[in-house]
Amino acid sequence: MKVELNRVDDAFHFEAVGVSNVPIHIDGAVDIGGHNAGARPMEMLLMGLAGCSAIDVILILKKQRQVIEEFRISVEGQRPADATPAPFHAIHLHYILKGNLDEDKARRAIDLSMDKYCSATAQLRPTASITYSLTIEKPVA
């Protein structure tokens, strides 16, 4: 895997492109001179974790013939306030799925993602406690 990062302005705005050839914008916080022109690098780690797990869970549930009408994940990461570096020490993912889904199958799919398939989880787990919760919203009849 290869990623190219190019500076866009004279501050902290960057554009990164990987093998998918889709540009992603990255920027620093305003208080250090950024311009909110992109996601923060640590936000992107949480986005990557959510995306990695989402792909796993959807693939697993599709194989089980579960129909997902909507799929969201809200991720919160906790970092030390006054440390450098400041890696995540706790991460919580809240999965919100909508559909006539079997809750046991959904939980099992998330467990498989977290414990077996998600490479992002494997990357972050040595430094962070990773937990999850699940809400299944039933469709309106």
Side-chain angles (χ1 to χ4, degrees):
M1 183 177 300
K2 183 178 179 182
V3 171
E4 295 285 335
L5 181 93
N6 293 299
R7 192 173 184 194
V8 174
D9 63 12
D10 63 349
F12 303 105
H13 181 195
F14 303 95
E15 182 179 275
V17 178
V19 294
S20 64
N21 205 33
V22 175
I24 303 295
H25 289 266
I26 303 166
D27 202 355
V30 172
D31 62 346
I32 66 162
H35 302 289
N36 282 328
R40 309 287 182 271
M42 294 300 282
E43 289 173 332
M44 292 182 69
L45 287 175
L46 295 181
M47 290 176 195
L49 172 61
C52 183
S53 182
I55 291 168
D56 293 340
V57 171
I58 291 168
L59 283 171
I60 293 165
L61 290 175
K62 277 185 161 192
K63 287 180 184 175
Q64 296 175 343
R65 301 181 195 270
Q66 297 290 296
V67 178
I68 305 164
E69 292 180 17
E70 292 180 23
F71 188 102
R72 300 185 318 270
I73 302 176
S74 174
V75 186
E76 290 189 34
Q78 302 297 317
R79 301 168 61 197
D82 55 355
T84 302
F88 291 109
H89 59 81
I91 300 170
H92 183 78
L93 296 92
H94 182 67
Y95 295 77
I96 304 107
L97 285 64
K98 183 176 182 180
N100 286 317
L101 299 160
D102 181 309
E103 185 173 341
D104 290 336
K105 288 181 178 180
R107 286 193 186 283
R108 179 71 179 135
I110 295 168
D111 286 339
L112 284 168
S113 175
M114 292 285 103
D115 298 334
K116 185 174 182 180
Y117 295 118
C118 181
S119 298
T121 301
Q123 189 73 40
L124 292 165
R125 186 162 275 146
T127 59
S129 166
I130 302 175
T131 58
Y132 78 86
S133 55
L134 168 65
T135 298
I136 296 179
E137 300 172 349
K138 295 295 181 182
V140 178

